[in-house]
Amino acid sequence: MRWVLSVVAGAAFRAANRLFNNHCNLTVILQPTTKLFIDGKFVESNTSEWLDIHNPATNEVVGRVPKATQEEMLAAADSCSRAFQSWSETSILSRQQIFLRYQQLIKDNVKELAKVITLEQGKTLADAEGDVFRGLQVVEHACSVTSLMLGETLPSITKDMDTYTYRLPIGVCAGIAPFNFPAMIPLWMFPIGMVCGNTYLMKPSERVPGCTMLLAKMLQDSGAPDGTLNIIHGQHAAVNFVCDHPAIKAISFVGSNQAGEYIYERGSKNGKRVQSNMGAKNHGVVMPDANKENTLNQLVGAAFGAAGQRCMALSTAILVGEARDWLPELVERSKALRVNSGDQPGADVGPLISPEAKDRVNSLIQSGVDEGAKLLLDGRNVRVKGYEKGNFVGPTILAGVSPEMTCYKEEIFGPVLIVLEADSLDEAISLINRNKYGNGTAIFTTNGATARKYTHEVDVGQIGVNVPIPVPLPMFSFTGSRGSFRGDTNFYGKQGIQFYTQIKTVTSQWKAEDATLKSPAVTMPTMGR
Ligand SMILES: *[C@@H]1O[C@H](CO)[C@@H](O)[C@H](O)[C@H]1NC(C)=O
Ligand SMILES: *[C@@H]1O[C@H](CO)[C@@H](O)[C@H](O)[C@H]1NC(C)=O
């Protein structure tokens, strides 16, 4: 399957040209800008306001993205509204076929998608492929829509009377995605929304739009009709547009607490469904009976992978009892990670998304030092040969942290592991339950009773037992809780289908005495013909 990369920004192309090897199946066409995707066409914006896209490893400008005009955003929403008329009436089997083709196309192009992610987002190529794979699994799950959308029936609730329900799409839905997972998070959104019969308006992060543009092209090539997916770009004006446009019935958001609370308030006030996944402070509890080798490796990977820019990063370790003695070894292993541009072989930790993000992380590290934490590993002055201008911070460990410190209270979103200590499991649990966030947590132990007590008493939506980043596969839902989530229906899984559908309940009475006799049919009925 050939598809054209003209949908990614121009200089991104030149860089992508360098990255892509000759035998890959992409035809790369240089274009000056990132396009909008409106009514089945990749069109250049008429805006006068543009944002640069940077390669985080070098801070070179690799492309630019428009702030779509009001007119363009209206055209995109209108296209969604028009397409909804026919898409919602398309048979569920046809929609399923499109997504079956789509999952294959994504699978065939994982490496190409990963290259664009690494270029714009900075994460290592291996991690970028993981980003695509986790999104792909949601697309694969969307292909079981024929089971997922089943309604319920209760026959004979009274004489000759039955009640049944069916699930229907709700209309135009919209997604607002963050910079940290350019493939996975958009793929949590529009495939589930669309397979249910909704049309979709997507606003990818303006820092990493390339991957979403490629995903849109591939969806079109899979047979999605014009207007079923539209893409706009921008910042606040685009967010407000999504929150206010009357045709949009539901909004899916992933990102910071500040933006997420705002979108939840503004969207809900306008009568829309909103699901909002926000910030996190994920704690890993290390019990002294844990498998040491495995636990230390898991901790290091989960704290510093993706340079800590995962809402599910395990950013806080609580060492319980004698597990405190493992700290020096934790530092040694963290020191061994290689900081480098994400496209370089052997890179473990790539750059942060922007110079501002780097400054923020550095100042949170300094706040820890100022407030009395022990800086056991300092990544602030890391030098990466050939990438001196990149936004790199090396693995950093702050120990002796207490809950009042700023570095504990704020989500750092960088390669910084902060370490607290506790005398007992109960103390660790009460510490975690006092933190405002509830996305994820993990416990490392070889004792089943300890693990069970922990999973029952900790007030966090996603728990790993000897699993550091417990993001559930899509047959389950992403169940962040408390300060990490606003809304009442989570992303993907059964809850994702609920979010994107409404239920119609029919109660009917067909009196037995009204049944008519007809001459018997003798031919085999041909369903659906
Ligand atoms: C840009 O303006 C031209 C001329 O008015 C118009 O034809 C075109 O549709 C506009 N493009 C977009 C993306 O709205
Ligand atoms: C939860 O995870 C999601 C998705 O990874 C992330 O966007 C969000 O910021 C996180 N929030 C919490 C509290 O984990």
Short mmCIF file of all heavy atoms in Angstrom, two decimals, residues 442-476:
data_model
loop_
_atom_site.label_atom_id
_atom_site.label_comp_id
_atom_site.label_asym_id
_atom_site.label_seq_id
_atom_site.Cartn_x
_atom_site.Cartn_y
_atom_site.Cartn_z
N ALA A 442 2.10 1.18 41.48
CA ALA A 442 2.58 -0.20 41.39
C ALA A 442 3.15 -0.61 42.74
O ALA A 442 3.63 0.22 43.51
CB ALA A 442 3.67 -0.32 40.33
N ILE A 443 3.06 -1.90 43.02
CA ILE A 443 3.73 -2.44 44.20
C ILE A 443 4.65 -3.56 43.73
O ILE A 443 4.32 -4.31 42.81
CB ILE A 443 2.74 -2.93 45.27
CG1 ILE A 443 3.50 -3.34 46.53
CG2 ILE A 443 1.86 -4.08 44.75
CD1 ILE A 443 2.63 -3.49 47.76
N PHE A 444 5.82 -3.62 44.33
CA PHE A 444 6.78 -4.68 44.03
C PHE A 444 6.93 -5.54 45.27
O PHE A 444 7.38 -5.06 46.32
CB PHE A 444 8.11 -4.08 43.60
CG PHE A 444 7.98 -3.24 42.35
CD1 PHE A 444 7.74 -1.87 42.44
CD2 PHE A 444 8.05 -3.83 41.09
CE1 PHE A 444 7.59 -1.11 41.29
CE2 PHE A 444 7.91 -3.06 39.94
CZ PHE A 444 7.67 -1.70 40.04
N THR A 445 6.53 -6.78 45.17
CA THR A 445 6.58 -7.70 46.32
C THR A 445 6.49 -9.13 45.80
O THR A 445 6.01 -9.36 44.69
CB THR A 445 5.39 -7.42 47.27
OG1 THR A 445 5.43 -8.34 48.37
CG2 THR A 445 4.04 -7.58 46.58
N THR A 446 6.97 -10.08 46.61
CA THR A 446 6.75 -11.49 46.26
C THR A 446 5.70 -12.12 47.18
O THR A 446 5.47 -13.32 47.14
CB THR A 446 8.07 -12.30 46.38
OG1 THR A 446 8.64 -12.02 47.66
CG2 THR A 446 9.04 -11.94 45.28
N ASN A 447 5.05 -11.26 47.98
CA ASN A 447 4.07 -11.79 48.93
C ASN A 447 2.65 -11.45 48.45
O ASN A 447 2.28 -10.28 48.33
CB ASN A 447 4.34 -11.15 50.31
CG ASN A 447 3.42 -11.69 51.37
OD1 ASN A 447 2.20 -11.69 51.20
ND2 ASN A 447 3.98 -12.16 52.47
N GLY A 448 1.88 -12.48 48.18
CA GLY A 448 0.52 -12.28 47.65
C GLY A 448 -0.38 -11.53 48.60
O GLY A 448 -1.20 -10.70 48.19
N ALA A 449 -0.22 -11.78 49.89
CA ALA A 449 -1.08 -11.12 50.87
C ALA A 449 -0.79 -9.61 50.90
O ALA A 449 -1.69 -8.78 51.00
CB ALA A 449 -0.87 -11.73 52.25
N THR A 450 0.49 -9.27 50.80
CA THR A 450 0.87 -7.86 50.76
C THR A 450 0.26 -7.20 49.52
O THR A 450 -0.31 -6.10 49.59
CB THR A 450 2.41 -7.75 50.69
OG1 THR A 450 2.95 -8.36 51.85
CG2 THR A 450 2.85 -6.30 50.62
N ALA A 451 0.37 -7.88 48.39
CA ALA A 451 -0.15 -7.32 47.14
C ALA A 451 -1.65 -7.14 47.22
O ALA A 451 -2.21 -6.13 46.79
CB ALA A 451 0.21 -8.24 45.97
N ARG A 452 -2.33 -8.12 47.82
CA ARG A 452 -3.79 -8.03 47.89
C ARG A 452 -4.23 -6.88 48.79
O ARG A 452 -5.12 -6.11 48.46
CB ARG A 452 -4.40 -9.34 48.39
CG ARG A 452 -5.92 -9.29 48.30
CD ARG A 452 -6.62 -10.50 48.80
NE ARG A 452 -8.05 -10.35 48.54
CZ ARG A 452 -8.86 -9.59 49.25
NH1 ARG A 452 -8.39 -8.89 50.26
NH2 ARG A 452 -10.15 -9.50 48.93
N LYS A 453 -3.57 -6.78 49.93
CA LYS A 453 -3.90 -5.69 50.85
C LYS A 453 -3.70 -4.35 50.14
O LYS A 453 -4.54 -3.45 50.21
CB LYS A 453 -2.99 -5.77 52.09
CG LYS A 453 -3.18 -4.64 53.09
CD LYS A 453 -2.25 -4.85 54.30
CE LYS A 453 -2.03 -3.58 55.10
NZ LYS A 453 -3.19 -3.13 55.85
N TYR A 454 -2.62 -4.26 49.41
CA TYR A 454 -2.31 -3.00 48.73
C TYR A 454 -3.38 -2.67 47.67
O TYR A 454 -3.91 -1.56 47.64
CB TYR A 454 -0.93 -3.11 48.06
CG TYR A 454 -0.48 -1.81 47.43
CD1 TYR A 454 -0.05 -0.75 48.22
CD2 TYR A 454 -0.50 -1.64 46.04
CE1 TYR A 454 0.36 0.44 47.65
CE2 TYR A 454 -0.10 -0.45 45.48
CZ TYR A 454 0.33 0.59 46.29
OH TYR A 454 0.72 1.78 45.73
N THR A 455 -3.70 -3.64 46.83
CA THR A 455 -4.65 -3.36 45.74
C THR A 455 -6.02 -3.00 46.31
O THR A 455 -6.75 -2.22 45.69
CB THR A 455 -4.79 -4.54 44.76
OG1 THR A 455 -5.12 -5.71 45.51
CG2 THR A 455 -3.52 -4.79 44.00
N HIS A 456 -6.37 -3.52 47.48
CA HIS A 456 -7.68 -3.20 48.05
C HIS A 456 -7.71 -1.87 48.76
O HIS A 456 -8.73 -1.20 48.79
CB HIS A 456 -8.16 -4.33 48.96
CG HIS A 456 -8.72 -5.47 48.16
ND1 HIS A 456 -10.05 -5.75 48.07
CD2 HIS A 456 -8.09 -6.35 47.36
CE1 HIS A 456 -10.23 -6.76 47.25
NE2 HIS A 456 -9.06 -7.15 46.81
N GLU A 457 -6.59 -1.48 49.35
CA GLU A 457 -6.63 -0.27 50.18
C GLU A 457 -6.16 0.99 49.48
O GLU A 457 -6.46 2.10 49.91
CB GLU A 457 -5.81 -0.51 51.46
CG GLU A 457 -6.47 -1.55 52.34
CD GLU A 457 -5.74 -1.78 53.65
OE1 GLU A 457 -4.85 -0.98 54.01
OE2 GLU A 457 -6.07 -2.79 54.32
N VAL A 458 -5.41 0.84 48.38
CA VAL A 458 -4.89 2.05 47.74
C VAL A 458 -5.99 2.65 46.86
O VAL A 458 -6.71 1.92 46.16
CB VAL A 458 -3.59 1.74 46.97
CG1 VAL A 458 -3.86 1.04 45.65
CG2 VAL A 458 -2.78 3.01 46.77
N ASP A 459 -6.14 3.97 46.92
CA ASP A 459 -7.23 4.64 46.21
C ASP A 459 -6.73 5.24 44.90
O ASP A 459 -6.65 6.45 44.72
CB ASP A 459 -7.81 5.74 47.12
CG ASP A 459 -9.06 6.38 46.53
OD1 ASP A 459 -9.56 5.89 45.49
OD2 ASP A 459 -9.53 7.38 47.10
N VAL A 460 -6.38 4.36 43.98
CA VAL A 460 -5.84 4.76 42.69
C VAL A 460 -6.51 3.90 41.63
O VAL A 460 -6.80 2.73 41.87
CB VAL A 460 -4.30 4.57 42.65
CG1 VAL A 460 -3.73 4.82 41.26
CG2 VAL A 460 -3.61 5.49 43.67
N GLY A 461 -6.75 4.47 40.45
CA GLY A 461 -7.55 3.77 39.45
C GLY A 461 -6.87 2.63 38.71
O GLY A 461 -7.55 1.78 38.14
N GLN A 462 -5.54 2.61 38.67
CA GLN A 462 -4.86 1.57 37.90
C GLN A 462 -3.66 1.09 38.69
O GLN A 462 -2.78 1.86 39.03
CB GLN A 462 -4.44 2.11 36.53
CG GLN A 462 -5.65 2.69 35.82
CD GLN A 462 -5.36 3.26 34.45
OE1 GLN A 462 -5.50 2.57 33.46
NE2 GLN A 462 -4.96 4.50 34.40
N ILE A 463 -3.64 -0.20 38.97
CA ILE A 463 -2.64 -0.73 39.89
C ILE A 463 -1.85 -1.85 39.23
O ILE A 463 -2.43 -2.74 38.60
CB ILE A 463 -3.33 -1.28 41.17
CG1 ILE A 463 -4.19 -0.18 41.80
CG2 ILE A 463 -2.30 -1.83 42.15
CD1 ILE A 463 -5.11 -0.68 42.89
N GLY A 464 -0.54 -1.80 39.36
CA GLY A 464 0.31 -2.88 38.88
C GLY A 464 0.89 -3.65 40.05
O GLY A 464 1.31 -3.05 41.04
N VAL A 465 0.88 -4.96 39.94
CA VAL A 465 1.58 -5.78 40.92
C VAL A 465 2.79 -6.36 40.20
O VAL A 465 2.63 -7.16 39.28
CB VAL A 465 0.67 -6.91 41.47
CG1 VAL A 465 1.45 -7.81 42.42
CG2 VAL A 465 -0.55 -6.30 42.16
N ASN A 466 3.96 -5.88 40.55
CA ASN A 466 5.20 -6.20 39.84
C ASN A 466 5.13 -5.79 38.37
O ASN A 466 5.82 -6.36 37.52
CB ASN A 466 5.57 -7.68 39.98
CG ASN A 466 5.77 -8.07 41.43
OD1 ASN A 466 6.40 -7.33 42.18
ND2 ASN A 466 5.18 -9.17 41.85
N VAL A 467 4.26 -4.85 38.06
CA VAL A 467 4.12 -4.29 36.71
C VAL A 467 4.19 -2.77 36.89
O VAL A 467 3.34 -2.20 37.55
CB VAL A 467 2.76 -4.69 36.09
CG1 VAL A 467 2.53 -3.93 34.79
CG2 VAL A 467 2.72 -6.18 35.84
N PRO A 468 5.21 -2.14 36.33
CA PRO A 468 5.43 -0.74 36.69
C PRO A 468 4.47 0.27 36.04
O PRO A 468 4.15 1.28 36.64
CB PRO A 468 6.86 -0.48 36.22
CG PRO A 468 7.09 -1.47 35.14
CD PRO A 468 6.27 -2.67 35.47
N ILE A 469 4.07 0.00 34.81
CA ILE A 469 3.19 0.97 34.12
C ILE A 469 1.90 0.25 33.74
O ILE A 469 1.78 -0.30 32.66
CB ILE A 469 3.88 1.56 32.87
CG1 ILE A 469 5.20 2.23 33.28
CG2 ILE A 469 2.97 2.57 32.17
CD1 ILE A 469 5.90 2.97 32.18
N PRO A 470 0.94 0.22 34.64
CA PRO A 470 -0.22 -0.65 34.44
C PRO A 470 -1.30 -0.03 33.54
O PRO A 470 -2.44 0.10 33.94
CB PRO A 470 -0.73 -0.87 35.86
CG PRO A 470 -0.39 0.41 36.56
CD PRO A 470 0.89 0.92 35.95
N VAL A 471 -0.91 0.37 32.31
CA VAL A 471 -1.92 0.86 31.36
C VAL A 471 -2.64 -0.36 30.79
O VAL A 471 -2.02 -1.22 30.17
CB VAL A 471 -1.27 1.66 30.22
CG1 VAL A 471 -2.29 2.04 29.17
CG2 VAL A 471 -0.61 2.92 30.78
N PRO A 472 -3.95 -0.48 31.02
CA PRO A 472 -4.65 -1.70 30.63
C PRO A 472 -4.78 -1.83 29.10
O PRO A 472 -4.87 -0.83 28.39
CB PRO A 472 -6.04 -1.54 31.25
CG PRO A 472 -5.95 -0.38 32.18
CD PRO A 472 -4.83 0.48 31.70
N LEU A 473 -4.82 -3.06 28.64
CA LEU A 473 -5.11 -3.32 27.23
C LEU A 473 -6.56 -2.93 26.95
O LEU A 473 -7.38 -2.82 27.87
CB LEU A 473 -4.86 -4.79 26.91
CG LEU A 473 -3.37 -5.16 26.81
CD1 LEU A 473 -3.20 -6.65 26.61
CD2 LEU A 473 -2.69 -4.39 25.69
N PRO A 474 -6.89 -2.73 25.65
CA PRO A 474 -8.18 -2.09 25.33
C PRO A 474 -9.43 -2.94 25.57
O PRO A 474 -10.53 -2.43 25.41
CB PRO A 474 -8.04 -1.72 23.86
CG PRO A 474 -6.90 -2.48 23.35
CD PRO A 474 -6.02 -2.82 24.48
N MET A 475 -9.29 -4.20 25.95
CA MET A 475 -10.52 -4.90 26.34
C MET A 475 -10.96 -4.45 27.73
O MET A 475 -12.08 -4.66 28.15
CB MET A 475 -10.39 -6.42 26.24
CG MET A 475 -9.17 -7.06 26.84
SD MET A 475 -7.62 -6.50 26.11
CE MET A 475 -7.36 -7.60 24.76
N PHE A 476 -10.06 -3.76 28.43
CA PHE A 476 -10.40 -3.06 29.67
C PHE A 476 -10.44 -1.57 29.35
O PHE A 476 -10.28 -1.19 28.20
CB PHE A 476 -9.37 -3.36 30.75
CG PHE A 476 -9.31 -4.82 31.12
CD1 PHE A 476 -8.42 -5.67 30.47
CD2 PHE A 476 -10.17 -5.34 32.06
CE1 PHE A 476 -8.40 -7.02 30.79
CE2 PHE A 476 -10.15 -6.69 32.38
CZ PHE A 476 -9.26 -7.53 31.74
#
